[in-house]
Amino acid sequence: MIKISNIKKVFRTDEVETWALNEVSLEVKEGEFVAIMGPSGCGKSTLLNILGLIDTPSSGTYLLNGTDVSKMEESERTQIRKGVIGFVFQSFNLIDELNVEENIEMPLLYMGIPAKERKRRVTEAMARMNISHRNKHFPSQLSGGQQQRVAIARAVVVNPKLILADEPTGNLDSKNGNEVMELLKELHQEGTTIVMVTHSRHDASYADRIVNIFDGQIVSEVEM
Ligand code: ADP
């Protein structure tokens, strides 16, 4: 599903050059659950952003389902991102002014899905994430765990082939964190490919494989 080869990413700000990734190669098979671990600043989020087509590598290639996406135009990348990839972030990234239903509906609106189908899919996603009883609540009225369940519902409502999660339990207590990990595990068991950045050994234990990054390079991989 994912094959990146010799990816480098350099950030240039004024005089400073930061090599966030240096010759990173990684394959993720369809249906696999991979955890990416490493100390702060080692390049994990940069890698996830490149995998999610939010950012582009400075050099190297990225094949997503066999298509070279590394040199695509922004508009083409956006199309692929919306149709294939679901994102889950540490900070939930919900829209404060929209209620639960409306937040989950957003990606379907972008995709131009008709109203009746949107309603059906939002209702189904809320039920799966056990958040239906809060459908008219706004993010500020929800606990952290509930907000993350809404964020996962918003990610899965497009039936993504790939879920990218950046520290999905980072702002949650252990009970809510475990609930979120159980939901990701269910999606994995249904065949969704998941790549997750985490600091937590416990969360990483849900994965099939742990990829350790240090200073912009993959230093080891551990099959679980
Ligand atoms: P991690 O997710 O492992 O904490 P990041 O991928 O966020 O690491 O960052 C890797 C390195 O790249 C860090 O040194 C960080 O300061 C730098 N970096 C990340 N994003 C940018 C940016 N937009 N501009 C400049 N430097 C950046």
Side-chain angles (χ1 to χ4, degrees), residues 61-104:
T61 56
Y62 176 10
L63 298 183
L64 180 60
N65 287 327
T67 305
D68 187 349
V69 291
S70 32
K71 288 159 197 85
M72 271 182 179
E73 295 290 321
E74 172 63 26
S75 58
E76 260 182 302
R77 285 193 288 130
T78 306
Q79 274 315 106
I80 295 183
R81 184 164 65 227
K82 282 184 187 152
V84 179
I85 306 174
F87 293 91
V88 179
F89 300 96
Q90 174 174 0
S91 52
F92 320 132
N93 284 18
L94 299 175
I95 300 172
D96 293 338
E97 295 75 21
L98 300 183
N99 69 27
V100 165
E101 274 180 358
E102 291 163 343
N103 262 288
I104 299 170

Side-chain angles (χ1 to χ4, degrees), residues 126-205:
M126 286 193 300
R128 279 197 74 175
M129 296 302 146
N130 193 22
I131 199 76
S132 310
H133 57 302
R134 295 277 187 266
N135 62 333
K136 298 293 181 199
H137 283 58
F138 289 87
S140 62
Q141 299 170 306
L142 302 174
S143 71
Q146 288 169 338
Q147 288 185 58
Q148 193 60 303
R149 297 209 310 266
V150 175
I152 297 176
R154 183 186 53 187
V156 301
V157 81
V158 300
N159 297 323
K161 293 266 172 277
L162 172 65
I163 288 187
L164 299 176
D166 198 348
E167 299 272 4
T169 69
N171 284 341
L172 302 177
D173 61 25
S174 61
K175 179 178 167 289
N176 282 306
N178 283 341
E179 256 178 50
V180 161
M181 288 313 302
E182 288 297 326
L183 289 170
L184 289 177
K185 184 170 139 187
E186 266 180 40
L187 294 170
H188 172 227
Q189 283 168 344
E190 289 164 16
T192 311
T193 310
I194 303 179
V195 180
M196 172 182 75
V197 164
T198 182
H199 272 108
S200 155
R201 289 255 151 230
H202 174 259
D203 290 359
S205 70

